[in-house]
Amino acid sequence: PAGWPVARELTLPVADPARGVACPMPEPPEPAPAGLDEAPGADQAASWEVVEDLLHDTVSLRLAGGNRIRPDTVPGGRHTLEVEQELVATAHRLDPGASTTTGRLTGTVDTATGAHLTVEVTVTATATTLDAHAKVVQDGASLLDRHWRG
Protein backbone atom coordinates (compact mmCIF):
# COMPACT_ATOMS: atom_id res chain seq x y z
CA PRO A 1 0.00 0.00 0.00
CA ALA A 2 1.01 3.61 -0.54
CA GLY A 3 2.96 5.12 2.31
CA TRP A 4 4.63 1.92 3.50
CA PRO A 5 8.40 2.13 3.75
CA VAL A 6 9.81 -0.41 1.35
CA ALA A 7 13.43 -1.54 1.12
CA ARG A 8 14.38 -1.53 -2.53
CA GLU A 9 18.12 -2.00 -2.27
CA LEU A 10 20.57 -3.98 -0.16
CA THR A 11 24.33 -3.49 -0.29
CA LEU A 12 26.60 -6.26 1.02
CA PRO A 13 30.39 -6.62 1.05
CA VAL A 14 31.73 -8.83 -1.75
CA ALA A 15 34.50 -11.37 -1.27
CA ASP A 16 36.81 -12.17 -4.16
CA PRO A 17 36.61 -15.98 -4.52
CA ALA A 18 39.77 -16.01 -6.69
CA ARG A 19 41.80 -14.57 -3.80
CA GLY A 20 40.15 -16.84 -1.21
CA VAL A 21 39.79 -13.99 1.26
CA ALA A 22 36.67 -13.82 3.42
CA CYS A 23 34.83 -10.59 4.18
CA PRO A 24 35.37 -9.41 7.75
CA MET A 25 32.15 -9.83 9.75
CA PRO A 26 31.93 -7.90 13.03
CA GLU A 27 30.41 -9.56 16.08
CA PRO A 28 26.91 -8.25 16.88
CA PRO A 29 26.79 -5.90 19.88
CA GLU A 30 25.17 -7.08 23.09
CA PRO A 31 21.93 -5.18 23.76
CA ALA A 32 21.73 -3.08 26.90
CA PRO A 33 18.78 -4.06 29.15
CA ALA A 34 17.90 -0.46 30.09
CA GLY A 35 14.52 0.10 31.76
CA LEU A 36 13.88 -3.59 32.37
CA ASP A 37 13.65 -5.51 35.59
CA GLU A 38 15.19 -8.60 34.08
CA ALA A 39 17.92 -9.03 31.51
CA PRO A 40 18.11 -11.84 28.95
CA GLY A 41 19.17 -15.15 30.46
CA ALA A 42 21.95 -17.34 29.13
CA ASP A 43 19.41 -19.40 27.19
CA GLN A 44 18.26 -16.23 25.43
CA ALA A 45 21.65 -15.02 24.23
CA ALA A 46 22.13 -13.95 20.62
CA SER A 47 23.96 -16.26 18.24
CA TRP A 48 25.93 -15.42 15.13
CA GLU A 49 26.90 -18.30 12.85
CA VAL A 50 28.53 -18.51 9.41
CA VAL A 51 28.18 -21.84 7.59
CA GLU A 52 29.92 -22.76 4.36
CA ASP A 53 28.28 -25.59 2.39
CA LEU A 54 30.95 -26.97 0.03
CA LEU A 55 28.56 -29.41 -1.64
CA HIS A 56 26.12 -26.67 -2.75
CA ASP A 57 28.78 -23.91 -2.93
CA THR A 58 26.87 -21.59 -0.57
CA VAL A 59 27.67 -19.48 2.45
CA SER A 60 24.97 -18.75 5.03
CA LEU A 61 24.86 -16.25 7.86
CA ARG A 62 22.45 -17.07 10.68
CA LEU A 63 21.60 -14.53 13.35
CA ALA A 64 19.24 -15.63 16.11
CA GLY A 65 18.25 -14.73 19.59
CA GLY A 66 15.51 -14.24 22.07
CA ASN A 67 14.58 -11.93 24.86
CA ARG A 68 12.12 -11.74 27.72
CA ILE A 69 11.42 -8.36 29.22
CA ARG A 70 9.13 -6.96 31.87
CA PRO A 71 8.88 -3.17 31.76
CA ASP A 72 9.07 -1.70 35.24
CA THR A 73 6.94 1.32 34.31
CA VAL A 74 3.57 -0.42 33.75
CA PRO A 75 0.93 0.99 36.09
CA GLY A 76 -1.36 -1.51 37.82
CA GLY A 77 0.61 -4.65 37.18
CA ARG A 78 3.15 -6.55 35.17
CA HIS A 79 3.31 -7.33 31.48
CA THR A 80 5.78 -9.71 29.87
CA LEU A 81 7.07 -9.60 26.32
CA GLU A 82 8.99 -12.54 24.87
CA VAL A 83 10.60 -12.28 21.44
CA GLU A 84 12.43 -14.92 19.42
CA GLN A 85 13.99 -14.01 16.10
CA GLU A 86 16.11 -15.57 13.40
CA LEU A 87 17.58 -14.25 10.17
CA VAL A 88 19.27 -16.52 7.62
CA ALA A 89 20.96 -15.08 4.52
CA THR A 90 22.32 -17.62 2.03
CA ALA A 91 24.55 -16.62 -0.87
CA HIS A 92 25.10 -18.97 -3.83
CA ARG A 93 28.52 -18.50 -5.41
CA LEU A 94 27.70 -20.05 -8.79
CA ASP A 95 24.14 -18.72 -9.03
CA PRO A 96 23.83 -15.39 -7.16
CA GLY A 97 20.21 -15.06 -8.32
CA ALA A 98 19.33 -18.12 -6.21
CA SER A 99 20.47 -16.40 -2.99
CA THR A 100 17.83 -15.99 -0.28
CA THR A 101 17.19 -14.16 2.95
CA THR A 102 14.61 -15.42 5.44
CA GLY A 103 13.55 -13.72 8.64
CA ARG A 104 11.29 -15.08 11.36
CA LEU A 105 10.01 -13.21 14.40
CA THR A 106 7.73 -14.57 17.11
CA GLY A 107 6.51 -12.31 19.89
CA THR A 108 4.36 -13.23 22.86
CA VAL A 109 2.73 -10.72 25.19
CA ASP A 110 1.16 -11.63 28.52
CA THR A 111 -0.63 -8.72 30.17
CA ALA A 112 -1.41 -8.06 33.80
CA THR A 113 -5.10 -8.58 32.91
CA GLY A 114 -4.41 -12.17 31.82
CA ALA A 115 -4.61 -11.62 28.05
CA HIS A 116 -2.19 -13.68 25.94
CA LEU A 117 -1.22 -12.39 22.47
CA THR A 118 1.08 -14.08 19.95
CA VAL A 119 2.47 -12.47 16.79
CA GLU A 120 4.35 -14.52 14.19
CA VAL A 121 5.95 -13.01 11.09
CA THR A 122 8.01 -14.78 8.42
CA VAL A 123 9.52 -13.08 5.38
CA THR A 124 11.53 -14.73 2.59
CA ALA A 125 13.22 -12.66 -0.12
CA THR A 126 14.98 -13.80 -3.28
CA ALA A 127 16.36 -11.81 -6.18
CA THR A 128 12.91 -11.69 -7.77
CA THR A 129 10.30 -12.50 -5.11
CA LEU A 130 9.13 -11.53 -1.66
CA ASP A 131 6.95 -13.83 0.40
CA ALA A 132 5.54 -12.76 3.78
CA HIS A 133 3.20 -14.39 6.28
CA ALA A 134 1.80 -12.80 9.44
CA LYS A 135 -0.36 -14.33 12.13
CA VAL A 136 -1.82 -12.71 15.26
CA VAL A 137 -3.65 -14.79 17.88
CA GLN A 138 -5.23 -13.46 21.09
CA ASP A 139 -6.31 -15.95 23.75
CA GLY A 140 -6.59 -18.71 21.14
CA ALA A 141 -8.69 -16.65 18.68
CA SER A 142 -7.12 -15.75 15.33
CA LEU A 143 -7.14 -11.99 14.74
CA LEU A 144 -5.03 -12.02 11.57
CA ASP A 145 -3.67 -14.69 9.25
CA ARG A 146 -2.41 -13.10 6.03
CA HIS A 147 -0.03 -14.09 3.27
CA TRP A 148 1.56 -11.65 0.83
CA ARG A 149 3.54 -12.56 -2.28
CA GLY A 150 5.18 -10.31 -4.80
PDB file of all heavy atoms in Angstrom, residues 86-104:
ATOM      1  N   GLU A  86      15.055 -14.900  14.147  1.00  0.00           N
ATOM      2  CA  GLU A  86      16.106 -15.571  13.400  1.00  0.00           C
ATOM      3  C   GLU A  86      16.158 -14.968  12.001  1.00  0.00           C
ATOM      4  O   GLU A  86      15.126 -14.712  11.384  1.00  0.00           O
ATOM      5  CB  GLU A  86      15.816 -17.069  13.294  1.00  0.00           C
ATOM      6  CG  GLU A  86      16.857 -17.816  12.494  1.00  0.00           C
ATOM      7  CD  GLU A  86      16.531 -19.286  12.355  1.00  0.00           C
ATOM      8  OE1 GLU A  86      15.441 -19.605  11.838  1.00  0.00           O
ATOM      9  OE2 GLU A  86      17.363 -20.094  12.770  1.00  0.00           O
ATOM     10  N   LEU A  87      17.353 -14.735  11.521  1.00  0.00           N
ATOM     11  CA  LEU A  87      17.580 -14.251  10.165  1.00  0.00           C
ATOM     12  C   LEU A  87      18.635 -15.160   9.536  1.00  0.00           C
ATOM     13  O   LEU A  87      19.689 -15.391  10.131  1.00  0.00           O
ATOM     14  CB  LEU A  87      18.088 -12.809  10.174  1.00  0.00           C
ATOM     15  CG  LEU A  87      18.534 -12.263   8.823  1.00  0.00           C
ATOM     16  CD1 LEU A  87      17.318 -12.027   7.931  1.00  0.00           C
ATOM     17  CD2 LEU A  87      19.321 -10.991   8.987  1.00  0.00           C
ATOM     18  N   VAL A  88      18.321 -15.683   8.340  1.00  0.00           N
ATOM     19  CA  VAL A  88      19.269 -16.524   7.620  1.00  0.00           C
ATOM     20  C   VAL A  88      19.424 -15.958   6.216  1.00  0.00           C
ATOM     21  O   VAL A  88      18.445 -15.838   5.483  1.00  0.00           O
ATOM     22  CB  VAL A  88      18.804 -17.999   7.538  1.00  0.00           C
ATOM     23  CG1 VAL A  88      19.807 -18.828   6.749  1.00  0.00           C
ATOM     24  CG2 VAL A  88      18.599 -18.577   8.928  1.00  0.00           C
ATOM     25  N   ALA A  89      20.642 -15.575   5.865  1.00  0.00           N
ATOM     26  CA  ALA A  89      20.956 -15.085   4.519  1.00  0.00           C
ATOM     27  C   ALA A  89      21.904 -16.098   3.883  1.00  0.00           C
ATOM     28  O   ALA A  89      22.951 -16.413   4.455  1.00  0.00           O
ATOM     29  CB  ALA A  89      21.600 -13.712   4.579  1.00  0.00           C
ATOM     30  N   THR A  90      21.519 -16.620   2.719  1.00  0.00           N
ATOM     31  CA  THR A  90      22.324 -17.624   2.032  1.00  0.00           C
ATOM     32  C   THR A  90      22.724 -17.102   0.659  1.00  0.00           C
ATOM     33  O   THR A  90      21.859 -16.728  -0.137  1.00  0.00           O
ATOM     34  CB  THR A  90      21.550 -18.951   1.881  1.00  0.00           C
ATOM     35  OG1 THR A  90      21.191 -19.424   3.184  1.00  0.00           O
ATOM     36  CG2 THR A  90      22.392 -20.008   1.176  1.00  0.00           C
ATOM     37  N   ALA A  91      24.015 -17.074   0.411  1.00  0.00           N
ATOM     38  CA  ALA A  91      24.553 -16.619  -0.874  1.00  0.00           C
ATOM     39  C   ALA A  91      25.050 -17.821  -1.655  1.00  0.00           C
ATOM     40  O   ALA A  91      25.774 -18.674  -1.121  1.00  0.00           O
ATOM     41  CB  ALA A  91      25.689 -15.637  -0.653  1.00  0.00           C
ATOM     42  N   HIS A  92      24.655 -17.908  -2.927  1.00  0.00           N
ATOM     43  CA  HIS A  92      25.097 -18.971  -3.830  1.00  0.00           C
ATOM     44  C   HIS A  92      26.207 -18.408  -4.708  1.00  0.00           C
ATOM     45  O   HIS A  92      25.994 -17.457  -5.453  1.00  0.00           O
ATOM     46  CB  HIS A  92      23.934 -19.459  -4.702  1.00  0.00           C
ATOM     47  CG  HIS A  92      22.891 -20.192  -3.935  1.00  0.00           C
ATOM     48  ND1 HIS A  92      22.807 -21.561  -3.936  1.00  0.00           N
ATOM     49  CD2 HIS A  92      21.901 -19.760  -3.125  1.00  0.00           C
ATOM     50  CE1 HIS A  92      21.806 -21.942  -3.179  1.00  0.00           C
ATOM     51  NE2 HIS A  92      21.233 -20.860  -2.668  1.00  0.00           N
ATOM     52  N   ARG A  93      27.384 -19.014  -4.643  1.00  0.00           N
ATOM     53  CA  ARG A  93      28.524 -18.496  -5.406  1.00  0.00           C
ATOM     54  C   ARG A  93      28.327 -18.650  -6.912  1.00  0.00           C
ATOM     55  O   ARG A  93      28.611 -17.743  -7.676  1.00  0.00           O
ATOM     56  CB  ARG A  93      29.799 -19.215  -4.983  1.00  0.00           C
ATOM     57  CG  ARG A  93      30.303 -18.792  -3.641  1.00  0.00           C
ATOM     58  CD  ARG A  93      31.692 -19.385  -3.394  1.00  0.00           C
ATOM     59  NE  ARG A  93      32.169 -18.953  -2.116  1.00  0.00           N
ATOM     60  CZ  ARG A  93      32.332 -19.749  -1.064  1.00  0.00           C
ATOM     61  NH1 ARG A  93      32.039 -21.037  -1.162  1.00  0.00           N
ATOM     62  NH2 ARG A  93      32.783 -19.287   0.072  1.00  0.00           N
ATOM     63  N   LEU A  94      27.828 -19.802  -7.360  1.00  0.00           N
ATOM     64  CA  LEU A  94      27.699 -20.050  -8.788  1.00  0.00           C
ATOM     65  C   LEU A  94      26.421 -19.471  -9.381  1.00  0.00           C
ATOM     66  O   LEU A  94      26.351 -19.228 -10.581  1.00  0.00           O
ATOM     67  CB  LEU A  94      27.763 -21.559  -9.071  1.00  0.00           C
ATOM     68  CG  LEU A  94      29.090 -22.222  -8.696  1.00  0.00           C
ATOM     69  CD1 LEU A  94      29.019 -23.718  -8.957  1.00  0.00           C
ATOM     70  CD2 LEU A  94      30.240 -21.586  -9.462  1.00  0.00           C
ATOM     71  N   ASP A  95      25.413 -19.249  -8.551  1.00  0.00           N
ATOM     72  CA  ASP A  95      24.138 -18.719  -9.033  1.00  0.00           C
ATOM     73  C   ASP A  95      23.647 -17.650  -8.046  1.00  0.00           C
ATOM     74  O   ASP A  95      22.762 -17.912  -7.234  1.00  0.00           O
ATOM     75  CB  ASP A  95      23.115 -19.849  -9.161  1.00  0.00           C
ATOM     76  CG  ASP A  95      21.804 -19.387  -9.768  1.00  0.00           C
ATOM     77  OD1 ASP A  95      21.732 -18.223 -10.228  1.00  0.00           O
ATOM     78  OD2 ASP A  95      20.850 -20.188  -9.781  1.00  0.00           O
ATOM     79  N   PRO A  96      24.215 -16.441  -8.109  1.00  0.00           N
ATOM     80  CA  PRO A  96      23.829 -15.394  -7.157  1.00  0.00           C
ATOM     81  C   PRO A  96      22.334 -15.100  -7.151  1.00  0.00           C
ATOM     82  O   PRO A  96      21.778 -14.728  -6.118  1.00  0.00           O
ATOM     83  CB  PRO A  96      24.623 -14.173  -7.618  1.00  0.00           C
ATOM     84  CG  PRO A  96      25.785 -14.734  -8.366  1.00  0.00           C
ATOM     85  CD  PRO A  96      25.272 -15.986  -9.010  1.00  0.00           C
ATOM     86  N   GLY A  97      21.648 -15.297  -8.261  1.00  0.00           N
ATOM     87  CA  GLY A  97      20.209 -15.060  -8.321  1.00  0.00           C
ATOM     88  C   GLY A  97      19.410 -16.024  -7.464  1.00  0.00           C
ATOM     89  O   GLY A  97      18.250 -15.770  -7.155  1.00  0.00           O
ATOM     90  N   ALA A  98      20.011 -17.142  -7.060  1.00  0.00           N
ATOM     91  CA  ALA A  98      19.334 -18.121  -6.211  1.00  0.00           C
ATOM     92  C   ALA A  98      19.537 -17.830  -4.721  1.00  0.00           C
ATOM     93  O   ALA A  98      19.058 -18.581  -3.875  1.00  0.00           O
ATOM     94  CB  ALA A  98      19.829 -19.523  -6.536  1.00  0.00           C
ATOM     95  N   SER A  99      20.236 -16.760  -4.387  1.00  0.00           N
ATOM     96  CA  SER A  99      20.470 -16.398  -2.991  1.00  0.00           C
ATOM     97  C   SER A  99      19.156 -16.012  -2.325  1.00  0.00           C
ATOM     98  O   SER A  99      18.247 -15.493  -2.961  1.00  0.00           O
ATOM     99  CB  SER A  99      21.465 -15.248  -2.912  1.00  0.00           C
ATOM    100  OG  SER A  99      22.695 -15.637  -3.485  1.00  0.00           O
ATOM    101  N   THR A 100      19.064 -16.281  -1.024  1.00  0.00           N
ATOM    102  CA  THR A 100      17.827 -15.994  -0.283  1.00  0.00           C
ATOM    103  C   THR A 100      18.137 -15.366   1.065  1.00  0.00           C
ATOM    104  O   THR A 100      19.229 -15.538   1.615  1.00  0.00           O
ATOM    105  CB  THR A 100      17.017 -17.276  -0.016  1.00  0.00           C
ATOM    106  OG1 THR A 100      17.815 -18.169   0.765  1.00  0.00           O
ATOM    107  CG2 THR A 100      16.581 -17.951  -1.293  1.00  0.00           C
ATOM    108  N   THR A 101      17.154 -14.662   1.577  1.00  0.00           N
ATOM    109  CA  THR A 101      17.189 -14.155   2.945  1.00  0.00           C
ATOM    110  C   THR A 101      15.837 -14.465   3.568  1.00  0.00           C
ATOM    111  O   THR A 101      14.797 -14.165   2.981  1.00  0.00           O
ATOM    112  CB  THR A 101      17.437 -12.642   2.983  1.00  0.00           C
ATOM    113  OG1 THR A 101      18.682 -12.374   2.332  1.00  0.00           O
ATOM    114  CG2 THR A 101      17.502 -12.128   4.408  1.00  0.00           C
ATOM    115  N   THR A 102      15.849 -15.087   4.735  1.00  0.00           N
ATOM    116  CA  THR A 102      14.614 -15.423   5.436  1.00  0.00           C
ATOM    117  C   THR A 102      14.699 -14.889   6.861  1.00  0.00           C
ATOM    118  O   THR A 102      15.704 -15.083   7.542  1.00  0.00           O
ATOM    119  CB  THR A 102      14.399 -16.950   5.477  1.00  0.00           C
ATOM    120  OG1 THR A 102      14.333 -17.429   4.147  1.00  0.00           O
ATOM    121  CG2 THR A 102      13.121 -17.307   6.213  1.00  0.00           C
ATOM    122  N   GLY A 103      13.637 -14.224   7.279  1.00  0.00           N
ATOM    123  CA  GLY A 103      13.550 -13.722   8.640  1.00  0.00           C
ATOM    124  C   GLY A 103      12.298 -14.253   9.312  1.00  0.00           C
ATOM    125  O   GLY A 103      11.252 -14.393   8.682  1.00  0.00           O
ATOM    126  N   ARG A 104      12.423 -14.588  10.586  1.00  0.00           N
ATOM    127  CA  ARG A 104      11.291 -15.078  11.358  1.00  0.00           C
ATOM    128  C   ARG A 104      11.295 -14.381  12.712  1.00  0.00           C
ATOM    129  O   ARG A 104      12.329 -14.287  13.366  1.00  0.00           O
ATOM    130  CB  ARG A 104      11.399 -16.590  11.558  1.00  0.00           C
ATOM    131  CG  ARG A 104      10.271 -17.182  12.394  1.00  0.00           C
ATOM    132  CD  ARG A 104      10.548 -18.626  12.777  1.00  0.00           C
ATOM    133  NE  ARG A 104      11.832 -18.823  13.420  1.00  0.00           N
ATOM    134  CZ  ARG A 104      12.099 -18.572  14.701  1.00  0.00           C
ATOM    135  NH1 ARG A 104      11.175 -18.070  15.487  1.00  0.00           N
ATOM    136  NH2 ARG A 104      13.294 -18.804  15.194  1.00  0.00           N
TER     137      ARG A 104
END
